[in-house]
């Protein structure tokens, strides 16, 4: 399979060309909006430009060093490659950690200087191509000083370094016009409670987020701050466990005006939830923000960050996104990497095509599902007892425990209606394959 290095085009579902989109037609209008604006695809810098196939048992299977030693020139070559790749694949957004785009120095000051050089370079690239930064973040989990966390480290100097990295990350987000800034607390959790002051750690995590919010808002950052839930890995327990835990945390520390959630499919399954569940929990709490699109291998049980190809999952994801009215500042970031054995440049291109086509199909099917109306009608009807009579009075807060007890006391044959799960699952199959 040979890729001619040209722009990937839409050829339609009858095409057998692997280097063409079969479903993703950027300009096609669905429900009044272009596919590309519904989906807002973003490239993850860490997986696409840096990850080289290493796993727990083996080293690199790919080379992304561009024949250059560690330093600014290598990172400029990476940026050149990144923007060329995004243009060819037709992706208009990207996301990065500080350490993905610039080499690290020996001190915070040196690292920040390198980041500034590289964000100047990236800004020029953005201007030349029209590509935008969806969100930035700081890596506060890789270096050994972060082994016990960043904001939740027992060492206050580590908290201070983390604060410095967040400041530089927000400065980068402002300079590059990002619409988001992400906190993924990779090591903000614990391995054993025997050495952990959980109360102080949670308060400190909220302290760092509050300082970041205050700094960002004071310096003109108008985008969303996001927390990205994940239950575990690398820690045994991560404080941002799932969407419900994050909602409670944000509410406890008065952060809900500025923070939303960045929901990742593989993190949902690690938490024992479906992707759709996490999206729904974010939505009902008014915290839906952005998505890290990927999928896990359910038999492996760790964060495999595979490109999403399961169309049932992408359909139910896009159903939630459409029901929400679409993204505002967020988008679909492919937090996904080609497999260790998919070790050629072609594989990266094929992986993005697979992910983008799977989400395009998901969007088409979710739109059909909503227009079909059977699922929504069923759900509406299922709760219709709350639209009149005692149900309406419950919803309106007009009943008391005593009034309800009196109402219920003589009821006979109270019905429990069928949930019709099997029927509803065949409706999904009709839409998917009919
Ligand atoms: C790790 C993960 C991160 C965040 C950004 O599981 O998802 O890549 O998305 O730090
Ligand atoms: Co992620």
């Amino acid at each position: 399979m040979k890729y001619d290095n040209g722009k990937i085009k839409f050829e339609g579902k009858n095409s057998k060309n692997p280097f063409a989109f079969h479903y993703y037609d950027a300009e096609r209008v669905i429900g009044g909006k272009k596919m590309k604006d519904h989906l807002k695809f973003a490239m993850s810098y860490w997986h696409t430009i840096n990850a080289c196939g290493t796993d727990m048992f083996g080293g690199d299977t790919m080379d992304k060093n561009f024949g250059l030693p560690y330093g600014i020139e290598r990172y400029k070559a990476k940026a050149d490659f990144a923007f060329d790749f995004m243009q060819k694949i037709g992706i208009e957004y990207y996301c990065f950690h500080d350490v993905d785009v610039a080499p690290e120095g020996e001190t915070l000051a040196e690292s920040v200087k390198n980041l500034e050089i590289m964000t100047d370079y990236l800004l020029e690239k953005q201007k030349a191509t029209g590509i935008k930064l969806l969100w930035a973040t700081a890596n506060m989990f890789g270096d050994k000083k972060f082994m016990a966390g960043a904001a939740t480290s027992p060492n206050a100097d580590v908290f201070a370094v983390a604060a410095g990295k967040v400041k530089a990350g927000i400065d980068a987000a402002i300079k590059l016009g990002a619409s988001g800034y992400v906190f993924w607390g990779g090591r903000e959790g614990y391995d054993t409670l025997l050495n952990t002051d959980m109360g102080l750690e949670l308060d400190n995590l909220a302290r760092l987020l509050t300082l970041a919010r205050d700094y960002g808002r004071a310096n003109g950052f108008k985008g969303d701050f996001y927390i990205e839930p994940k239950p575990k890995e690398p820690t045994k327990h991560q404080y941002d466990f799932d969407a419900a835990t994050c909602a409670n945390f944000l509410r406890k520390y008065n952060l809900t005006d500025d923070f939303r959630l960045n929901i990742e499919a593989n993190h949902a399954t690690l938490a024992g939830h479906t992707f759709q569940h996490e999206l729904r929990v974010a939505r009902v709490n008014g915290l839906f923000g952005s998505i890290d699109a990927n999928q896990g291998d359910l038999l492996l049980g760790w964060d495999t960050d595979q490109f999403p190809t399961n169309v049932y999952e992408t359909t139910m994801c896009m159903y939630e996104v459409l029901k929400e009215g679409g993204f505002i500042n967020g988008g679909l970031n492919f937090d996904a990497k080609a497999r260790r054995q998919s070790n050629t440049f072609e594989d990266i291109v094929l992986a993005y095509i697979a992910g983008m086509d799977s989400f395009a199909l998901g969007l088409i099917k979710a739109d059909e599902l909503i227009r079909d109306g059977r699922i929504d009608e069923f759900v509406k009807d299922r709760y219709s007892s709350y639209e009149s009579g005692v149900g309406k009075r419950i919803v309106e807060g007009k009943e008391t425990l005593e009034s309800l007890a009196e109402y219920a006391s003589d009821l006979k044959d109270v019905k429990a209606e069928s949930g019709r799960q099997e029927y509803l699952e065949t409706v999904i199959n009709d839409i998917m394959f009919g």
Side-chain angles (χ1 to χ4, degrees), residues 193-248:
L193 283 173
L194 292 174
N195 63 16
T196 301
D197 182 343
M198 189 192 275
L200 177 66
E201 290 200 4
L202 285 165
D203 288 349
N204 278 351
L205 181 54
R207 285 185 181 108
L208 186 67
L209 301 190
T210 305
L211 294 174
R213 190 267 318 270
D214 293 346
Y215 177 79
R217 295 302 182 226
N219 287 278
F221 177 66
K222 298 204 167 50
D224 291 332
F225 289 96
Y226 301 112
I227 294 192
E228 183 177 323
K230 185 175 183 184
K232 59 187 172 186
E233 193 204 9
T235 50
K236 171 198 177 87
H237 175 89
Q238 197 169 303
Y239 293 133
D240 302 337
F241 193 90
D242 61 3
T245 312
C246 288
N248 179 56

Side-chain angles (χ1 to χ4, degrees), residues 23-156:
Y23 301 98
Y24 180 58
D25 182 2
E27 301 296 321
R28 173 172 163 193
V29 173
I30 291 184
K33 201 154 124 183
K34 288 181 183 175
M35 259 193 172
K36 65 175 191 166
D37 299 326
H38 274 293
L39 294 165
K40 289 182 71 183
F41 290 132
M43 182 199 78
S44 66
Y45 219 94
W46 52 104
H47 286 310
T48 311
I49 308 303
N50 292 329
C52 293
T54 180
D55 74 7
M56 299 283 271
F57 295 92
D60 295 351
T61 61
M62 314 161 203
D63 179 358
K64 296 181 180 171
N65 290 337
F66 296 89
L68 292 163
Y70 188 70
I72 292 287
E73 289 314 310
R74 181 195 284 178
Y75 280 82
K76 286 190 173 167
K78 282 175 182 276
D80 294 344
F81 174 86
F83 278 78
D84 185 54
F85 173 75
M86 286 187 275
Q87 283 182 295
K88 284 187 175 133
I89 203 89
I91 280 195
E92 295 184 351
Y93 298 88
Y94 69 115
C95 302
F96 65 70
H97 302 79
D98 49 359
V99 302
D100 301 331
V101 295
E104 286 190 273
E106 279 182 18
T107 60
L108 176 65
E110 277 175 33
S111 297
V112 171
K113 184 95 209 80
N114 289 344
L115 185 62
E116 281 167 4
I117 294 169
M118 283 308 302
T119 48
D120 285 344
Y121 195 71
L122 293 169
L123 185 59
E124 290 311 310
K125 297 245 150 223
Q126 288 187 194
K127 283 185 189 151
T129 59
I131 288 169
K132 297 179 270 298
L133 184 60
L134 188 69
W135 52 257
T137 186
N139 179 321
M140 307 200 291
F141 44 85
D143 189 82
K144 66 177 185 299
K145 66 173 133 343
F146 296 122
M147 72 178 185
T152 66
S153 169
N155 183 333

